[in-house]
Amino acid sequence: MDDMSPKSSSGRFRKWFKRKHKNKQKHKQPDPYNYLDGLSDGEDEGDYIMEDVYISSFEMDPCTSANELRIFVGTWNVAGRSPVGSLAVDLEEWLKPQDAADIYVLGFQEIVPLKTRTVIGVEDPTEATNWNLLIGKTLNENFGCPWLTPMLNPVSSDNYQYVKVPDCERRASFSGVIDSTLMRGRWITQYHQQLVLGGSKYKLMASKKMVGVFISVWMKKELLKKYCVSNVKVSSVACGIMGYLGNKGSVSVSMSIEGTSFCFIGAHLASGEKNGDEGRRNRQVSEIFKRTSFPRSAKDDDNRHPLTIFGHDQIFWFGDLNYRLDLEDNLARDLIKKQDWKALQGFDQLRKEQEDGGVFEGWREGNIKFAPTYKYSSSNCNRYSGGLPNRSGEKQRTPAWCDRILWYGKGVKLLSYFRSESKFSDHRPVSAQFSTQIEVMKSTNSRFLDKETNFHNIMPPEQIGPSINNEEGKPTLLSLIVKDTESSSTHMQVDTNY
């Protein structure tokens, strides 16, 4: 709902405040010590900005403040290769753990070869486990923390598990989620408990695999002590062969940090550079929007969480989206040699589809100032596949920016958008670093409001009384907000019905 609407909470308060303040102005002279005396009903730019500042303070300061988080989002198609050999060096160059983001959100595609037995067979968690081990090792060893050896612990139910963090280690609710399938049941690795409770700096929050599409979310341990992290849920949508097999599709994580909800979607869309292939990709995006859900369960707490992608405050979509360049191969290669990224972007399918309203309308992406990330000839090679003269047996592919990161929502600022140079696969990893704003409860009790302290911060003393009860003694909007805030509570929960 639009906050400017008269039907919204802030809209009703804005209307009430103007009316009350206007009546007071008829009977008293301006008070130079009251910073609200300059507020008027006019649409003067200065007044409008001041009014927005005030209303924003009303919505945030009584019980919340805005805190900054740094989020690293990365995507990488690893072409079915296992995380072995010298990959640890490549991973460190990609994740740049020395910059120490608060949250790492990593999406992978093709962590297993997309063969018939892996697409229609039973999920094997081995590769997901290996990637999580290497990611955790890369993030945590940079801070001198010991790494613990994983042990598999089979679970014979279809519920995914969580490890409860003792109250002394955290301020509010938190549940870690890890999800995979092993033979006839679900499994959870014992090392997840070590990741949550051990001495590492980063903790595994959620992990979800669907065939070759994989997402892994990590958070600094200190944030779990400082903030209320709740409603960690996962979802997957298969929309590959016949529209329902998992060779293509998405894996998503939903979570709330204090009063701000996040959704992270890692996707692998239809390949192909023929005319009309972009339409297939568009339709898969629509299917993912339609079918991704984070249903409530009996174990959920009283705080409602978003059920769909667009119900979240901040949304990040990343992966091998497979959009190509509508340009002849030789012309594309000429522009790449000249590093004329601006000219090349004019032929980018994804940007054209966005402009035409075909997909991701209203979403944002950073300015691309790096070379196309696909397709390289082979591993350990810096040459694009194909071209003239074409080598025997080599696929002819026009280079393209297949690997992308987009976002939607307020309070998100892009800090950097870049690719890394690992030669591990025929794709190059792509990363984006963001600064995000979250609404944080000001009191040490995340759901308690210190009315006297906080309201004095935004409102002069003479305004506090009328804001609680009107002339007839009935509770006003503000008093209802206070009552609702004081009666709220948080509980640890996890969805067990996915």
Side-chain angles (χ1 to χ4, degrees):
M1 182 180 292
D2 186 353
D3 286 342
M4 298 297 289
S5 170
K7 295 182 180 181
S8 68
S9 298
S10 60
R12 291 194 299 271
F13 179 78
R14 186 192 305 272
K15 186 175 180 181
W16 170 85
F17 180 81
K18 283 185 176 181
R19 185 173 64 251
K20 287 293 239 182
H21 192 77
K22 190 172 182 180
N23 290 337
K24 279 181 174 286
Q25 293 302 314
K26 295 179 180 179
H27 305 290
K28 80 182 191 81
Q29 296 297 319
D31 182 357
Y33 300 102
N34 187 346
Y35 71 95
L36 293 175
D37 274 346
L39 194 63
S40 72
D41 290 330
E43 293 301 324
D44 177 81
E45 182 179 0
D47 292 336
Y48 183 78
I49 293 175
M50 180 62 191
E51 181 180 276
D52 279 333
V53 169
Y54 176 78
I55 295 299
S56 175
S57 297
F58 166 75
E59 293 171 341
M60 298 285 292
D61 279 359
C63 52
T64 65
S65 61
N67 279 22
E68 180 191 40
L69 288 182
R70 295 294 180 99
I71 300 180
F72 178 103
V73 178
T75 177
W76 195 3
N77 185 319
V78 294
R81 300 191 65 195
S82 298
V84 295
S86 62
L87 182 61
V89 176
D90 294 353
L91 205 63
E92 184 169 342
E93 191 272 334
W94 177 37
L95 301 183
K96 302 184 185 304
Q98 64 274 13
D99 292 343
D102 296 307
I103 302 173
Y104 283 85
V105 182
L106 306 178
F108 295 85
Q109 305 82 46
E110 297 188 42
I111 65 168
V112 297
L114 299 183
K115 299 178 180 179
T116 302
R117 64 181 179 85
T118 58
V119 173
I120 65 176
V122 176
E123 285 280 6
D124 183 349
T126 304
E127 295 304 320
T129 302
N130 291 338
W131 278 106
N132 274 333
L133 277 172
L134 187 58
I135 294 165
K137 186 173 187 292
T138 301
L139 292 177
N140 288 303
E141 278 195 346
N142 281 271
F143 301 95
C145 297
W147 189 247
L148 302 171
T149 304
M151 296 177 61
L152 293 180
N153 178 26
V155 173
S156 59
S157 72
D158 283 339
N159 299 330
Y160 47 79
Q161 308 295 306
Y162 70 94
V163 177
K164 181 176 180 179
V165 180
D167 292 338
C168 61
E169 293 224 3
R170 45 168 302 288
R171 189 171 65 82
S173 63
F174 159 68
S175 61
V177 178
I178 183 168
D179 182 292
S180 287
T181 305
L182 177 61
M183 300 305 290
R184 297 182 180 179
R186 297 281 173 117
W187 65 275
I188 179 173
T189 55
Q190 185 173 332
Y191 83 97
H192 182 219
Q193 182 172 2
Q194 297 167 334
L195 292 177
V196 175
L197 298 178
S200 55
K201 187 179 183 69
Y202 286 91
K203 307 304 176 187
L204 180 61
M205 297 293 295
S207 177
K208 173 66 179 173
K209 174 184 179 293
M210 181 189 71
V211 186
V213 189
F214 174 59
I215 189 171
S216 186
V217 180
W218 299 72
M219 181 182 289
K220 278 185 177 179
K221 179 180 178 181
E222 63 192 61
L223 297 185
L224 300 178
K225 300 177 182 179
K226 183 178 180 180
Y227 298 133
C228 167
V229 181
S230 61
N231 295 316
V232 182
K233 295 175 180 287
V234 297
S235 177
S236 62
V237 173
C239 51
I241 300 171
M242 298 182 293
Y244 284 95
L245 290 186
N247 60 307
K248 295 293 186 290
S250 68
V251 287
S252 305
V253 171
S254 170
M255 62 190 297
S256 294
I257 304 177
E258 291 289 335
T260 304
S261 56
F262 294 83
C263 188
F264 305 106
I265 307 107
H268 192 186
L269 304 182
S271 61
E273 54 184 20
K274 301 188 300 293
N275 288 334
D277 283 341
E278 68 275 14
R280 291 195 299 137
R281 293 185 269 273
N282 292 356
R283 288 190 290 275
Q284 288 179 346
V285 171
S286 297
E287 281 296 302
I288 292 170
F289 277 129
K290 184 188 304 181
R291 291 162 51 192
T292 299
S293 64
F294 306 98
R296 299 188 179 99
S297 72
K299 292 187 177 181
D300 284 350
D301 58 26
D302 295 334
N303 300 316
R304 289 182 174 269
H305 65 269
L307 303 180
T308 63
I309 291 176
F310 278 115
H312 293 78
D313 298 312
Q314 299 179 9
I315 312 168
F316 300 84
W317 187 302
F318 46 95
D320 181 359
L321 307 189
N322 256 321
Y323 287 93
R324 307 303 175 92
L325 293 174
D326 289 329
L327 185 63
E328 291 183 11
D329 183 79
N330 61 325
L331 296 177
R333 291 173 190 265
D334 285 342
L335 290 174
I336 292 171
K337 288 179 181 178
K338 297 175 183 177
Q339 298 187 12
D340 193 347
W341 313 134
K342 184 176 181 180
L344 202 61
Q345 285 181 61
F347 301 94
D348 176 57
Q349 279 185 352
L350 178 54
R351 301 242 165 152
K352 292 174 68 176
E353 291 299 313
Q354 282 186 278
E355 292 170 1
D356 295 340
V359 71
F360 290 117
E361 190 173 6
W363 288 66
R364 301 179 65 189
E365 181 185 16
N367 188 24
I368 301 177
K369 296 181 180 180
F370 50 83
T373 55
Y374 174 85
K375 169 179 173 52
Y376 284 88
S377 180
S378 63
S379 61
N380 298 318
C381 180
N382 265 333
R383 184 179 60 83
Y384 289 109
S385 179
L388 296 174
N390 191 14
R391 298 188 179 184
S392 176
E394 190 173 73
K395 292 183 178 180
Q396 181 69 34
R397 294 287 186 271
T398 301
W401 288 298
C402 290
D403 310 280
R404 313 290 279 269
I405 300 173
L406 302 92
W407 77 92
Y408 187 92
K410 297 179 180 179
V412 181
K413 178 183 178 182
L414 179 68
L415 301 177
S416 61
Y417 192 31
F418 57 95
R419 70 172 231 172
S420 299
E421 299 306 321
S422 170
K423 301 174 185 177
F424 184 72
S425 81
D426 56 355
H427 288 251
R428 295 295 182 261
V430 173
S431 314
Q433 296 192 40
F434 298 93
S435 169
T436 69
Q437 295 290 325
I438 61 169
E439 295 183 6
V440 180
M441 306 307 295
K442 296 186 70 175
S443 172
T444 53
N445 179 340
S446 64
R447 299 304 178 205
F448 177 79
L449 174 63
D450 183 347
K451 295 186 290 295
E452 181 176 348
T453 300
N454 289 300
F455 281 116
H456 277 286
N457 287 339
I458 67 161
M459 191 177 294
E462 63 269 22
Q463 296 291 340
I464 296 178
S467 67
I468 300 299
N469 293 283
N470 59 22
E471 290 82 351
E472 300 175 356
K474 296 180 180 179
T476 63
L477 170 65
L478 188 56
S479 65
L480 294 177
I481 292 174
V482 173
K483 180 179 180 182
D484 179 68
T485 304
E486 290 181 320
S487 62
S488 300
S489 60
T490 56
H491 308 279
M492 185 179 68
Q493 62 76 47
V494 67
D495 180 8
T496 57
N497 294 325
Y498 173 73

